[in-house]
Amino acid sequence: MKIAILGKPFAEQQAPVLQALLDDLVRRQAEVRIEHSFYDYLGQHVTIPEGISRFGRVDSLAGCRFVLSIGGDGTLLDTVTYVGALQIPILGINTGRLGFLATISPETILPAIDALFKGHFVIEDRSLIRVDTDPDTFGDINFGLNEFSILKRDTSSMIVVHTYIDGEYLNSYWADGLIVATPTGSTGYSLSCGGPVMLPQTNNFVIAPVCPHNLNVRPLIVPDRSVISFEIEGRSNNFLLSLDSRSRTVEAGIQVAVRRENFNVRLVKLNQVNFLSTLRSKLNWGLDRRNPVELSV
């Protein structure tokens, strides 16, 4: 089995479990590839077994059975950009803080790997958002799992985002910015702006203004088969476009449109972990001392 690994720096006390992970994969005769920068970082904290190779951004992961994302949710978002249209299943191992997407804790890594090899898992498809701009802004990596945002720069005054759905005028948002979130991203930035939580299988986007200047503007749910386009203006000639964790400065007059990407992200789920249980455990959703303990886990 061929397995790729991407990751970010981790706490020193987690080095032993990552050493055990590498040793276990080698023992199982897996063909392991580690992303260049993470390989170098790992080598400073663990002993990398012989036979493990490196890969970089330009190298294809075709042929890999799984991709392990070691870090937090941001690491998993970055991993999505490496996998792209290959749709290789991703297992998120949480060595970060919240771990809403990366749900496997360090102490359960080895049982998780055993479950992968035994086929004891389910695959959860998550939709992506695609951004097209003229002039081009994000190049070949113009898709994201969480959200696309249009934001003002630094302390500049608010911006106006003229928004259209399938060419039909929706509204002009006078705000600090505007977010278009996927169902996965509905628990992120959009949620902090008052947007609703959507189940992952929901075929919708959320349009949520950031600090709107008019109180009668609220987040709006639209079908993800829609094409949402924007025109941006403001006192400043520069704005920020953000796609998950990637931000670019653009000039006024840029043409922007978002739609659903034609491929999905495939996340590996183990041990009966699902979106609803994660919602309760990570975000304390509906936390109420009146609820039975056995129903809240």
Side-chain angles (χ1 to χ4, degrees), residues 44-258:
Q44 302 171 24
H45 298 83
V46 306
T47 301
I48 300 179
E50 293 184 4
I52 292 180
S53 61
R54 305 168 180 242
F55 71 92
R57 171 69 71 179
V58 298
D59 300 317
S60 174
L61 295 180
C64 289
R65 181 67 179 85
F66 297 101
V67 177
L68 306 185
S69 173
I70 301 176
D73 291 344
T75 308
L76 194 144
L77 294 178
D78 190 38
T79 301
V80 169
T81 67
Y82 280 83
V83 173
L86 294 174
Q87 299 189 116
I88 303 168
I90 300 172
L91 177 66
I93 298 172
N94 180 34
T95 58
R97 293 186 292 269
L98 182 63
F100 195 87
L101 294 172
T103 56
I104 302 301
S105 60
E107 58 269 19
T108 62
I109 288 178
L110 294 186
I113 296 302
D114 189 57
L116 286 187
F117 277 81
K118 291 180 177 178
H120 298 168
F121 59 87
V122 297
I123 297 294
E124 189 173 85
D125 284 345
R126 299 290 185 95
S127 60
L128 295 164
I129 189 169
R130 168 178 172 155
V131 181
D132 294 301
T133 63
D134 185 14
D136 182 46
T137 302
F138 293 101
D140 294 334
I141 311 176
N142 63 336
F143 54 88
L145 177 58
N146 265 5
E147 75 267 318
F148 167 72
S149 305
I150 302 170
L151 302 166
K152 71 174 188 177
R153 291 192 63 197
D154 305 322
T155 58
S156 60
S157 59
M158 76 177 75
I159 60 177
V160 186
V161 184
H162 307 292
T163 306
Y164 304 80
I165 299 178
D166 293 329
E168 183 176 343
Y169 176 68
L170 169 64
N171 185 42
S172 294
Y173 293 91
W174 295 71
D176 284 356
L178 192 68
I179 302 167
V180 182
T182 66
T184 300
S186 71
T187 55
Y189 193 7
S190 172
L191 182 64
S192 71
C193 294
V197 172
M198 295 191 294
L199 297 181
Q201 298 78 19
T202 307
N203 297 319
N204 293 310
F205 289 137
V206 177
I207 302 175
V210 180
C211 300
H213 195 249
N214 38 355
L215 298 179
N216 59 350
V217 174
R218 295 290 182 267
L220 179 68
I221 297 176
V222 301
D224 64 8
R225 63 179 179 271
S226 307
V227 177
I228 309 170
S229 55
F230 310 96
E231 297 173 357
I232 316 164
E233 64 175 281
R235 292 179 181 175
S236 171
N237 290 324
N238 296 312
F239 314 101
L240 285 179
L241 300 186
S242 179
L243 186 55
D244 283 352
S245 57
R246 308 181 304 279
S247 295
R248 304 286 187 270
T249 300
V250 298
E251 296 183 356
I254 188 172
Q255 299 296 307
V256 184
V258 301

